[in-house]
Amino acid sequence: MKTLYDLQAPAKLNTFLHIVGRRPEDGYHLLQSAFVLIDWHDTLHLELRHDGQISREDEAGPGLPGRDLCVRAAQALQAATGSTLGVHIRLHKRIPTQAGMGGGSSDAATCLLGLMRLWKAALPRPALMQLALGLGADVPFFLLGRHAWVEGVGERLQALDMPPARFLVLKPPVGLATPQIFASPELRRDSETATISGFAALGPDHIYEFGRNDLQPVAQQLCPEIAQGLQWLSERGLKGRMTGSGSALFARLPDGAEANRGLGGPADDWVVRVCSTLQMHPLADW
Ligand code: C5P
C-alpha cells in the first residue's frame, strides 16, 4: 500500500476574463474566461496518517494560515467519504500568493486527487467536482486537468486546445485579495457574451489577444504597481495583461525571443519568470 505521494500543483493564467452577470442567489459573478495551465508549480508531499488527523507544514515560502485551502480540502473529502484515515501535508509553495495564478486552488485540487488515491476513496467525479466548487470557484478547473473555457462561476468547463506559448510573468511585491476586487462598485459586470467558436477562430497567432480582463481596471486603482508593470512591459514591446484578480501580469513572448528577455522586472522586489503552457496537468489522468 502506497503511503506517500510527492505531487505537483501547477499555476494558471487567465488569457482573458469577462464578467457577464451575477448569480442572483449569492451575488457570485458569472464569468467567461480561458484558463491555461503553466509550468510554475507548488509541490505537495502527502503522507498517510492512520490516526485520522489532518496536519500541514510549510516547507518553504510564505507562511500560510493554519487552515488553508489544502487542509479544508482534506477535511471536506474526509467528511464526504467517511474515511477514518488522515494525512500530513508538507507544502512547498513556489507560486506567488494573491497573484491571480490559482496557487491555493491548485494545491487544493492536487490534495483532493492525491487523497483519493492515498485513502482509496471512491467518490464519483461529479461529487468530487461539487466538493471542489464549494472550496473555491477555481478548484474544479484544476481537477479537469486541461486548458479550459470556463463559464458560470467557474463550474462550467470545456477543455480547450491552446497553442503552446511562452509568457513573461511579473508579480509585484503587493498582492490583491479576490473578494475585494469582486466587491468593487466600479467593476464592469455587463460584458457581452462571447462564444468558444469565435474565440477559437482567432487561430494560434491571435488567440491569446482575445478580450480583456474586466477585473483589471479595479485592480489597477487599488494597486498602482499594475500600471507600472504594464508600462514596463510596453517599453519592451510586450503587451501585458493581468491574470485573474491580480496582482500578477503576463505578456506573451514572441516565438524565438530569448528566454531571459527582461528578467529583472520593474524593481528588485518583483518576481519575474518566463513560463510555458503545459500540455496537460501532471495529474490529468488521475
Ligand atoms: O471562490 P473563491 O474563494 O476564489 O472566491 C473568493 C471571493 O471572490 C468570493 O467570496 C466572492 O466574493 C468572489 N467571487 C465572485 N465570483 C466568482 C468568484 C469569486 O464574486 N466567480
Side-chain angles (χ1 to χ4, degrees):
M1 178 175 176
K2 203 160 156 49
T3 59
L4 183 69
Y5 284 101
D6 276 336
L7 304 173
Q8 288 192 314
K12 57 91 173 161
L13 296 175
N14 297 95
T15 75
F16 78 96
L17 196 160
H18 295 172
I19 309 290
V20 296
R22 283 187 106 160
R23 205 158 64 171
E25 62 268 31
D26 58 5
Y28 256 65
H29 292 77
L30 300 170
L31 49 91
Q32 289 191 310
S33 182
F35 281 56
V36 296
L37 295 162
I38 57 166
D39 61 349
W40 199 345
H41 299 95
D42 290 340
T43 308
L44 281 88
H45 309 267
L46 302 180
E47 191 168 358
L48 187 65
R49 286 183 67 144
H50 292 280
D51 61 3
Q53 296 293 307
I54 292 165
S55 51
R56 199 201 80 234
E57 74 182 275
D58 295 324
E59 209 168 60
L64 295 171
R67 203 168 163 266
D68 80 317
L69 211 51
C70 279
V71 170
R72 284 194 274 140
Q75 288 170 337
L77 188 68
Q78 202 182 41
T81 59
S83 178
T84 56
L85 296 169
V87 65
H88 183 66
I89 305 163
R90 210 147 35 88
L91 181 58
H92 189 133
K93 201 100 195 105
R94 296 189 195 82
I95 304 167
T97 56
Q98 295 205 308
M101 300 179 67
S105 303
S106 185
D107 296 344
T110 289
C111 194
L112 290 174
L113 292 171
L115 289 178
M116 289 285 285
R117 293 214 173 175
L118 203 59
W119 293 345
K120 299 199 185 334
L123 195 65
R125 219 359 117 119
L128 186 63
M129 282 293 198
Q130 201 54 46
L131 184 152
L133 186 62
L135 293 166
D138 292 349
V139 184
F141 159 73
F142 288 104
L143 288 179
L144 178 77
R146 302 274 313 271
H147 308 310
W149 176 267
V150 177
E151 296 181 300
V153 302
E155 81 288 11
R156 287 175 52 203
L157 305 166
Q158 274 179 270
L160 274 180
D161 284 324
M162 292 294 282
R166 285 185 315 147
F167 302 96
L168 192 60
V169 181
L170 308 182
K171 163 72 180 42
V174 273
L176 285 171
T178 305
Q180 193 186 1
I181 305 292
F182 274 109
S184 168
E186 315 269 316
L187 184 63
R188 177 177 177 181
R189 299 182 165 91
D190 63 349
S191 276
E192 69 290 356
T193 307
T195 62
I196 190 168
S197 54
F199 172 74
L202 288 176
D205 291 340
H206 298 291
I207 199 160
Y208 288 103
E209 295 159 22
F210 179 83
R212 60 193 173 271
N213 185 336
D214 283 339
L215 304 178
Q216 190 173 309
V218 169
Q220 232 164 302
Q221 278 178 3
L222 292 168
C223 173
E225 284 85 351
I226 291 176
Q228 187 193 351
L230 293 170
Q231 173 69 22
W232 184 88
L233 287 165
S234 133
E235 284 161 10
R236 280 149 191 82
L238 297 170
K239 210 166 170 336
R241 186 175 285 179
M242 193 177 82
T243 173
S245 55
S247 59
L249 307 172
F250 65 97
R252 188 176 182 182
L253 289 170
D255 292 340
E258 70 276 25
N260 63 353
R261 179 182 180 126
L263 283 186
D268 287 349
D269 50 2
W270 286 58
V271 180
V272 181
R273 185 177 159 119
V274 175
C275 293
S276 299
T277 48
L278 288 178
Q279 261 199 316
M280 284 216 173
H281 192 291
L283 307 182
D285 57 354
W286 276 43

